[in-house]
């Protein structure tokens, strides 16, 4: 009974904060996924299986420029052409994907570098699209703080350290004092609005260089008035494979700081990718899509961002939404073949080639 009550309360909260479209998708998404898996397992036609797949969640790279060179990001090791998505193309993409309920305007760059960023958030808000913003908080003014607090629904701050020394070592090009000052500025602006939104989260990518600073990281979150932290796994690019810690060590480190988090009233969420995760658990090809700053469409963010050394990420693109009809791509042959393999628990070549750690076929275990 308590489970049902919790779910009903969660549904009410979602309806209030995110709208009917988001709530509808949240309720029916698991059922739709099960139906898609069943259809593919039973050799349904492409038209029938694809009919249940529609883009609800969009991750859109609005700039490929960044002010930092964080050691866990491709920006530090690849030659990436810096470009901003203009407002007109942003609107075109939203027009071509009318069913989206959530938007994450982030890819290889820092979203605040795009001069049209706030106008994009404003446009998304007018369309009742829930926005998740990921930012390093290195670029801030009082006006930016106020506008971001007014327009964003959720804000995640990249902050993978518990000390100044480690923070500036991991987030190259940053200033610990400046970032702390900017976060405080934003939290004040949020408070002045007089309501709970946007939700704020401090994100920590766990690795050998910072694993012993989790406790200090929790304390920083508390001092800043942030009640939620997210601990993420490291994508082991060739240049930083030696920094990856295994899941067992990560879990132990998280367990050690849970008491501190409870005392400080800070909630810990974490995502540690495990080898036992089967490929048919991935929901990206059913209702998610990643689009880069050029308009190229990718079956997931890992493929569009963490591409293999020596490769051009366009190599993995399924089409270009600025040049083609969205359905031509989304319901096309490449997507159909990808879904067919994944729903039958087989790993597509594109997932193996692009540093994708989310999916592993059971036949490879």
């Amino acid at each position: 009974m308590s489970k049902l009550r919790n779910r009903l309360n969660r549904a009410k909260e979602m309806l209030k904060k995110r709208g009917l479209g988001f709530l509808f998708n949240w309720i029916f998404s698991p059922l739709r996924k099960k139906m898609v898996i069943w259809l593919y397992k039973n050799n349904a036609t492409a038209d029938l299986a694809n009919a249940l797949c529609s883009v609800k969640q969009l991750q859109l790279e609005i700039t490929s420029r960044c002010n930092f060179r964080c050691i866990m990001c491709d920006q530090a090791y690849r030659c990436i052409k810096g470009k901003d998505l203009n407002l007109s193309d942003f609107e075109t993409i939203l027009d071509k994907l009318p069913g989206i309920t959530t938007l994450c305007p982030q890819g290889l760059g820092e979203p605040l570098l795009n001069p049209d960023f706030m106008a994009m958030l404003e446009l998304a808000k007018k369309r009742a699209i829930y926005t998740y913003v990921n930012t390093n908080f290195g670029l801030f003014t009082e006006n930016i703080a106020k506008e971001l607090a007014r327009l964003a629904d959720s804000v995640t701050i990249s902050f993978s350290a518990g000390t100044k020394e480690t923070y500036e070592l991991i987030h190259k090009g940053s200033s610990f004092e400046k970032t702390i000052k900017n976060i405080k500025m934003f939290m004040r602006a949020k408070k002045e609005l007089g309501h709970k939104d946007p939700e704020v989260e401090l994100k920590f990518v766990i690795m050998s260089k910072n694993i012993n600073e989790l406790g200090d990281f929790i304390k920083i979150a508390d001092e800043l008035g942030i009640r939620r932290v997210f601990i993420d796994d490291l994508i082991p690019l060739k240049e930083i494979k030696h920094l990856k810690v295994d899941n067992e060590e990560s879990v132990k480190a998280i367990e050690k700081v849970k008491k501190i988090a409870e005392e400080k009233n800070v909630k810990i969420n974490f995502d540690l990718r495990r080898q036992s995760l089967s490929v048919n658990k991935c929901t990206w090809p059913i209702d998610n899509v990643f689009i880069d700053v050029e308009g190229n469409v990718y079956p997931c963010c890992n493929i569009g961002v963490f591409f293999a050394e020596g490769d051009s990420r366009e190599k993995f693109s399924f089409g270009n939404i600025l040049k083609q009809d969205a359905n031509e791509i989304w319901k096309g042959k490449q997507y159909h073949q990808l879904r067919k393999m994944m729903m039958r628990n087989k790993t597509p070549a594109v997932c193996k080639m692009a540093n994708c750690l989310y999916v592993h076929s059971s036949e490879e275990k």
Side-chain angles (χ1 to χ4, degrees):
M1 197 69 180
S2 61
K3 250 188 186 180
L4 177 61
R5 194 182 301 113
N6 288 339
R7 196 161 177 83
L8 286 171
N9 287 336
R10 178 79 172 133
K12 270 195 220 171
E13 184 186 336
M14 283 192 173
L15 179 60
K16 183 181 175 183
K17 292 169 80 173
R18 308 187 186 186
L20 190 59
F22 191 97
L23 176 62
F24 185 85
N25 186 53
W26 179 70
I27 293 171
F28 290 102
S29 183
L31 177 61
R32 185 171 68 247
K33 179 171 172 53
K34 285 177 182 177
M35 288 180 70
V36 171
I37 293 172
W38 185 86
L39 286 168
Y40 274 108
K41 278 183 177 178
N42 288 276
N43 299 309
T45 64
D47 286 344
L48 183 57
N50 285 338
L52 285 173
C53 301
S54 61
V55 181
K56 300 296 180 185
Q57 301 179 65
L58 168 64
Q59 184 169 339
L60 178 59
E61 182 181 70
I62 63 169
T63 182
S64 54
R65 299 185 295 130
C66 195
N67 52 320
F68 291 175
R69 289 294 178 270
C70 302
I71 64 173
M72 61 284 202
C73 180
D74 261 13
Q75 280 278 9
Y77 312 106
R78 310 282 185 264
C79 183
I80 296 163
K81 181 184 174 184
K83 182 180 178 179
D84 296 334
L85 184 74
N86 63 52
L87 188 59
S88 175
D89 285 344
F90 176 83
E91 190 165 9
T92 296
I93 291 169
L94 293 193
D95 287 342
K96 288 189 174 185
L97 298 172
I100 66 168
T101 57
T102 63
L103 167 70
C104 177
Q106 191 251 346
L108 279 171
E110 165 54 46
L112 284 168
L113 279 169
N114 188 314
D116 292 325
F117 178 51
M118 295 304 172
M120 291 173 176
L121 290 183
E122 188 83 66
L123 189 58
K125 197 174 187 73
K126 285 178 181 175
R127 298 186 183 211
I129 297 170
Y130 188 91
T131 52
Y132 296 90
V133 176
N134 288 288
T135 170
N136 58 40
F137 265 60
L139 302 163
F140 254 74
T141 63
E142 289 282 356
N143 187 56
I144 288 174
K146 288 175 182 175
E147 285 298 279
L148 187 62
R150 180 177 72 87
L151 294 169
D153 293 297
S154 176
V155 174
T156 296
I157 306 161
S158 181
F159 200 100
S160 298
T163 64
K164 169 183 167 65
E165 182 184 17
T166 304
Y167 176 79
E168 293 178 357
L169 174 70
I170 290 174
H171 301 280
K172 291 192 181 295
S174 69
S175 162
F176 179 82
E177 291 83 5
K178 185 179 178 183
T179 302
I180 292 292
K181 178 186 173 184
N182 290 343
I183 295 172
K184 287 179 178 178
M185 187 193 303
F186 173 72
M187 295 303 284
R188 280 197 305 272
K190 178 180 179 291
K191 189 176 180 181
E192 285 170 9
L193 284 176
H195 55 75
K196 291 181 180 179
D197 292 335
E199 297 175 313
V200 184
E201 179 179 72
L202 212 57
K203 181 180 176 180
F204 186 101
V205 177
I206 199 165
M207 62 187 91
S208 60
K209 286 189 180 292
N210 63 11
I211 192 168
N212 293 322
E213 295 187 7
L214 268 174
D216 291 326
F217 167 74
I218 300 291
K219 289 172 185 175
I220 288 173
D222 174 54
E223 287 165 9
L224 292 169
I226 296 172
R227 305 268 67 93
R228 191 174 72 185
V229 299
F230 180 64
I231 301 169
D232 202 3
D233 201 3
L234 179 76
I235 299 288
L237 301 170
K238 180 183 175 182
E239 295 84 357
I240 53 170
K241 275 185 179 178
H242 61 288
L243 299 179
K244 177 131 174 62
V245 294
D246 62 41
N247 284 333
E248 190 177 339
E249 190 179 351
S250 296
V251 170
K252 282 181 182 177
I254 293 168
E255 287 296 326
K256 280 182 183 178
V257 300
K258 275 188 175 178
K259 188 176 180 182
I260 297 173
E262 286 171 8
E263 289 171 355
K264 302 291 184 184
N265 192 29
V266 174
K267 183 180 178 182
I268 299 177
N269 294 318
F270 61 94
D271 178 17
L272 303 176
R273 299 167 188 116
R274 302 176 184 279
Q275 296 295 318
S276 60
L277 182 64
S278 59
V279 71
N280 68 6
K281 300 297 181 187
C282 177
T283 61
W284 272 87
I286 295 175
D287 57 11
N288 290 254
V289 71
F290 176 82
I291 299 174
D292 74 15
V293 72
E294 303 278 359
N296 296 308
V297 176
Y298 302 88
C300 87
C301 61
N302 250 13
I303 292 167
V305 174
F306 294 101
F307 47 94
E309 183 186 15
D311 277 326
S312 162
R313 61 175 169 170
E314 287 80 7
K315 170 182 176 180
F316 304 115
S317 170
F318 280 18
N320 189 294
I321 198 164
L322 295 174
K323 299 173 183 176
Q324 297 169 257
D325 178 75
N327 278 335
E328 181 187 342
I329 302 168
W330 185 249
K331 299 186 186 296
K333 187 178 178 182
Q334 279 181 287
Y335 255 114
H336 175 62
Q337 288 302 119
L338 180 87
R339 292 179 188 123
K340 189 176 179 180
M341 285 192 72
M342 292 179 72
M343 296 309 111
R344 293 179 180 180
N345 211 29
K346 295 180 181 178
T347 306
V350 69
C351 300
K352 295 176 183 177
M353 291 161 56
N355 283 315
C356 185
L357 299 182
Y358 284 97
V359 293
H360 300 272
S361 170
S362 57
E363 65 191 23
E364 294 172 335
K365 295 171 191 171

